[in-house]
Amino acid sequence: MRVLSGIQPTGRPHWGNYFGAIQQYIDLQHEDESYYFVANLHAMTTIRDKEVMWAHTYDAALDLLALGLDPNKATLFIQSDVPEVSELCWLLLSVTPMGLLERCVSYKEKVSKGLSSNAGLFTYPVLQAADILAYDADIVPVGEDQVQHIEVCRDIAGSFNHLFGEVFVLPKARVLDSSAKVPGTDGQKMSKSYGNTIELFEDLKPQRKKIMRIQTDSRPMEEPKDPEGDHLFELYSLFASEPEIAEMATTYRQGGFGYGAVKKAIADVSESYFAEARARREALVAEPETVHEILADGARRARKKAGEVLLRAQQASGLKR
Ligand code: ADP
Ligand code: TRP
């Protein structure tokens, strides 16, 4: 089975991104073949600053490596290093009905949020389809919001196959557990748009301060509390072991503890949970040549596969003999 997923380089990932998405992508690297890329061409529809573009792209690759993506198992690359995908995108655009794209909610949503309505933003799902089809991907792990794009990809692949023969593999979305909502510092869902995030790799001191400032209610210390649905307990449970979680639940039910102690426990367990990833990230920052080699090697492998699929599509449609 071939797994593929892309992440947009839109800034520093937070705990919600990790537990809701990244961790599960990385777990899938053990499949027969897996491809992961930083979708900088997709970001091109919105980012207008070259320094920001490069920094976010490079950071996203570092984050994935630090969090355990193994370049010997998975192919990790930057989207724009595989020009075959952009070429394939044109072939797909030529068989994509306008109506299919007009129905996509993400375009309408982005424009309603004030993003400029460029043609790249409108045809974004077609480039995404090219990303997926270029590697004969069977499984595409994505969040709920991307499911429509995978459906569009299947529709486009189906149209192309109908016109020109069985060229493309039809992929399936693997929807990540959307019930796993990580709470933010205000107790609401953690999200960049709510400004309540705790970033994975922010410096430990400010991170600890942020954790100590997580909002809580003002019930007295001695009152017994229900751990279910308590955001501090939920955060603690992301990082702690089963026995530690059980012990914390007992403490909650007994009462007589302060929220400050729970916050301190969260800071401690999260620090050790990500200690290895943090160390790996620091080592990678100090070794840019290694990272460049990994990405160059990933691009080479990705181009080989994408080149084969592009040729198949070109031959089937009469662009090449
Ligand atoms: P944000 O809301 O911060 O902009 P994104 O929309 O870029 O985050 O989300 C990227 C991925 O991370 C998605 O697959 C989404 O499901 C996951 N994710 C984001 N926030 C959370 C959260 N608080 N809990 C669980 N998963 C999350
Ligand atoms: N559109 C995806 C997102 O915003 C990123 C992405 C680009 C992607 N190409 C992809 C995801 C191909 C899966 C497969 O999150």
Side-chain angles (χ1 to χ4, degrees):
M1 214 168 55
R2 251 185 223 107
V3 176
L4 169 137
S5 200
I7 60 162
Q8 272 216 63
T10 45
R12 315 293 303 124
H14 52 72
W15 288 358
N17 298 144
Y18 179 72
F19 289 102
I22 301 171
Q23 187 184 40
Q24 297 164 83
Y25 295 167
I26 291 178
D27 283 347
L28 286 166
Q29 70 179 318
H30 304 288
E31 292 296 332
D32 307 334
E33 257 181 68
S34 57
Y35 294 87
Y36 299 90
F37 62 92
V38 183
N40 60 345
L41 291 176
H42 279 106
M44 187 71 201
T45 59
T46 51
I47 298 182
R48 298 294 182 233
D49 178 312
K50 71 175 185 180
E51 300 303 331
V52 170
M53 177 67 95
W54 176 249
H56 283 188
T57 303
Y58 188 72
D59 269 352
L62 279 188
D63 292 339
L64 288 173
L65 289 168
L67 291 167
L69 200 131
D70 178 353
N72 296 313
K73 284 202 189 91
T75 300
L76 172 68
F77 58 99
I78 294 175
Q79 188 183 27
S80 64
D81 284 344
V82 186
E84 287 78 4
V85 168
S86 299
E87 195 169 344
L88 183 62
C89 181
W90 181 258
L91 274 65
L92 301 180
L93 277 166
S94 309
V95 303
T96 304
M98 288 294 281
L100 188 62
L101 301 183
E102 276 159 1
R103 283 196 293 277
C104 286
V105 291
S106 81
Y107 172 75
K108 288 181 240 174
E109 252 175 46
K110 285 175 184 164
V111 174
S112 75
K113 275 192 201 152
L115 290 178
S116 77
S117 64
N118 59 67
L121 207 58
F122 184 67
T123 54
Y124 180 113
V126 188
L127 180 59
Q128 186 162 349
D131 284 329
I132 298 168
L133 300 176
Y135 306 99
D136 286 335
D138 302 295
I139 297 289
V140 186
V142 283
E144 192 68 51
D145 62 318
Q146 294 294 316
V147 172
Q148 190 181 35
H149 289 166
I150 314 304
E151 289 306 314
V152 167
C153 173
R154 290 173 62 90
D155 281 355
I156 296 174
S159 303
F160 198 95
N161 286 356
H162 181 69
L163 291 165
F164 300 116
E166 290 303 302
V167 174
F168 296 121
V169 172
L170 264 53
K172 279 203 184 72
R174 161 100 40 110
V175 183
L176 306 174
D177 185 3
S178 55
S179 62
K181 293 248 180 332
V182 176
T185 52
D186 56 358
Q188 306 304 306
K189 182 193 172 206
M190 187 178 287
S191 169
K192 285 189 284 282
S193 8
Y194 304 148
N196 63 357
T197 61
I198 300 174
E199 290 165 11
L200 287 176
F201 295 117
E202 66 184 292
D203 288 337
L204 284 171
K205 235 175 154 179
Q207 185 178 73
R208 196 167 265 269
K209 269 199 184 146
K210 212 188 251 183
I211 296 169
M212 295 312 291
R213 281 200 307 264
I214 294 176
Q215 292 172 27
T216 49
D217 58 43
S218 52
R219 281 178 297 172
M221 246 174 99
E222 51 283 359
E223 191 176 310
K225 299 173 183 75
D226 186 0
E228 288 308 314
D230 178 273
H231 60 290
L232 287 184
F233 182 76
E234 279 174 27
L235 286 173
Y236 181 74
S237 305
L238 294 170
F239 305 105
S241 65
E242 286 299 329
E244 286 169 332
I245 297 170
E247 199 184 319
M248 182 64 87
T250 308
T251 308
Y252 262 74
R253 291 195 187 97
Q254 281 168 349
F257 69 98
Y259 286 128
V262 188
K263 292 178 189 175
K264 190 177 168 307
I266 293 172
D268 292 342
V269 275
S270 63
E271 182 177 333
S272 54
Y273 189 93
F274 287 120
E276 216 178 287
R278 221 174 246 278
R280 224 171 358 224
R281 199 176 193 289
E282 272 164 29
L284 289 166
V285 168
E287 280 179 58
E289 319 79 51
T290 310
V291 178
H292 287 297
E293 262 168 45
I294 291 172
L295 293 172
D297 182 52
R300 237 184 336 264
R301 274 152 45 194
R303 285 195 74 174
K304 183 166 180 296
K305 179 68 191 164
E308 289 163 14
V309 176
L310 175 63
L311 181 63
R312 222 156 67 202
Q314 287 168 324
Q315 288 177 332
S317 54
L319 292 171
K320 273 210 172 127
R321 274 272 167 228

